[in-house]
């Protein structure tokens, strides 16, 4: 895993170093008396190709969070699929 991380960093990609989250519920605002709208605050610490770390903060509604999680699951499935194809190619070369 560490060698894969070094390869990604050396390849010039930004990588996720750490994350933190909190869930908030807005119960009212100056425009609406009662909202009860949940939001997730997601803080991402991203390692930049130059070695620096940049923090990004996202505020996501429930539908936005659901979409993000669905997209991440799709990325994971494709990554696993590509990894399996790479393994098959490596085995066929033996």
């Amino acid at each position: 895993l560490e060698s894969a991380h070094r390869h990604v960093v050396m390849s010039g990609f930004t990588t996720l170093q750490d994350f933190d989250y909190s869930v908030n519920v807005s119960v009212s605002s100056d425009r609406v008396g009662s909202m009860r709208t949940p939001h997730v605050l997601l803080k991402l610490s991203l390692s930049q190709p130059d070695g620096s770390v940049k923090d990004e903060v996202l505020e996501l509604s429930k539908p936005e969070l659901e979409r993000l999680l669905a997209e991440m699951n799709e990325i994971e499935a494709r990554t696993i699929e590509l990894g399996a194809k790479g393994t098959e190619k490596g085995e066929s070369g033996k």
Side-chain angles (χ1 to χ4, degrees):
L1 183 62
E2 183 64 31
S3 64
H5 181 262
R6 272 195 305 270
H7 173 73
V8 169
V9 171
M10 291 174 64
S11 299
F13 292 101
T14 298
T15 57
L16 178 63
Q17 180 177 349
D18 196 12
F19 73 96
D20 192 17
Y21 69 94
S22 63
V23 178
N24 299 318
V25 177
S26 300
V27 292
S28 67
S29 75
D30 59 347
R31 294 182 187 180
V32 180
S34 178
M35 295 179 4
R36 301 188 58 91
T37 306
H39 283 85
V40 173
L41 292 176
L42 182 61
K43 178 185 172 189
L44 306 174
S45 294
L46 305 171
S47 294
Q48 303 297 311
D50 65 4
S52 65
V53 177
K54 180 178 179 184
D55 289 333
E56 293 285 341
V57 178
L58 305 172
E59 182 175 354
L60 304 169
S61 65
K62 185 177 179 184
E64 291 170 330
L65 178 61
E66 289 171 346
R67 191 176 98 212
L68 174 65
L69 292 174
E71 289 174 3
M72 296 301 286
N73 286 330
E74 187 176 324
I75 290 168
E76 178 185 30
R78 288 183 182 177
T79 302
I80 291 169
E81 182 182 313
L82 289 172
K85 286 182 181 179
T87 302
E88 291 170 6
K89 287 180 183 179
E91 291 173 358
S92 64
K94 289 183 180 179

